[in-house]
Structure formats: C-alpha cells, structure tokens
Amino acid sequence: MLCNPILQVLIRHVSHFVRDHPAILENHHRGNSFNAVVRCEVRSLVDIDSTTGRESEVARWLASFLAGRGYRVWKQPVSESRFNVYASLRDDPAVVLSTHFDCVPPFFPSREERGLIFGRGACDAKGILAAQITAAE
C-alpha cells in the first residue's frame, strides 16, 4: 500500500472543520488552503530519502520545520549521524504522539494521482507524521 487513506480522511474532515471556522485557517496557515498545506508537508517529507540508515536528512528537516513553527525541539543522539527528534509546544504536554520516519528501500519520491499521495513513506510513516503535526496544532 503506497497511499494513506487514513490521512486522506483526516485531511477531508479537518478541511471541512477549517472551512466552517475560517479563523483557524488564517491563524495557522496564513490563508493557504488547509488541504494544500498538509499535502505540502506530506510531500516534503516523502521526497526526502530516509531509507533505513539514511534518516539524518529527514530528521534535520523535521527539527528545523518544527522549530520554525514554534516548537521547542530536542535532538537525542542515536549514533554518530542519527538522532531522534523530540518536540513540544508546551512545558507539560497532555498527549505524546510518537512515530518513526525511516522507510524500507528502495526510495521513490512523491506523486499525486486521483487525489491520493503516493511515494515511499506516504502511508508508513511520513503521512502519519504529518497527520500528527496537524493534530498537535
């Protein structure tokens, strides 16, 4: 399975909520279509090769992306070139979301077809990661 139907449902439901509450869209995404913002996040993640052993680039992207959105970010070294990313919007989070961002080989970049996002990691786990970021915000 290369597409993420759960993410598609999340995008659809949240898009309807945001449509009915336009202040959320203005506050969080500066007028961009919510659907387009989430799709961009997913495709940006999928387009980074993070096959097992090559996770450092996506970890750096994620840490920078989250810091740019106001998260406090910590990097936990795992090996010389790899690290886990911890991020929080609050000092005392009530919920912890956890996933991974490595993927099995071979790498292939994202594409969209029939409103679905395809690519290595779109379903497991980069689509999940984008959904978690969206849910946290």
Side-chain angles (χ1 to χ4, degrees):
M1 178 186 288
L2 301 176
C3 62
N4 189 340
I6 294 170
L7 179 61
Q8 299 302 320
V9 170
L10 174 68
I11 290 171
R12 191 175 325 115
H13 286 288
V14 175
S15 294
H16 289 227
F17 178 81
V18 170
R19 179 196 61 210
D20 297 337
H21 301 85
I24 291 173
L25 184 63
E26 291 300 320
N27 290 340
H28 290 288
H29 302 295
R30 298 181 200 95
N32 294 321
S33 160
F34 183 81
N35 192 332
V37 169
V38 174
R39 286 179 182 281
C40 182
E41 289 174 17
V42 172
R43 292 198 66 183
S44 294
L45 285 163
V46 170
D47 286 340
I48 300 170
D49 180 358
S50 65
T51 51
T52 303
R54 301 181 52 121
E55 301 93 338
S56 59
E57 184 180 351
V58 75
R60 284 191 303 273
W61 182 94
L62 179 62
S64 175
F65 176 81
L66 293 172
R69 296 182 74 79
Y71 288 79
R72 287 184 304 279
V73 177
W74 300 268
K75 298 176 185 177
Q76 177 194 42
V78 175
S79 70
E80 189 173 310
S81 63
R82 297 169 61 206
F83 58 90
N84 291 323
V85 176
Y86 292 92
S88 178
L89 288 168
R90 302 173 25 172
D91 288 331
D92 59 341
V95 175
V96 176
L97 304 173
S98 175
T99 189
H100 61 94
F101 42 67
D102 64 320
C103 301
V104 298
F107 168 74
F108 52 94
S110 70
R111 75 178 198 284
E112 288 191 52
E113 191 175 303
R114 299 179 321 275
L116 301 173
I117 299 172
F118 294 82
R120 182 62 72 210
C123 183
D124 180 20
K126 294 175 180 178
I128 294 167
L129 180 55
Q132 289 178 338
I133 293 168
T134 302
E137 293 180 355

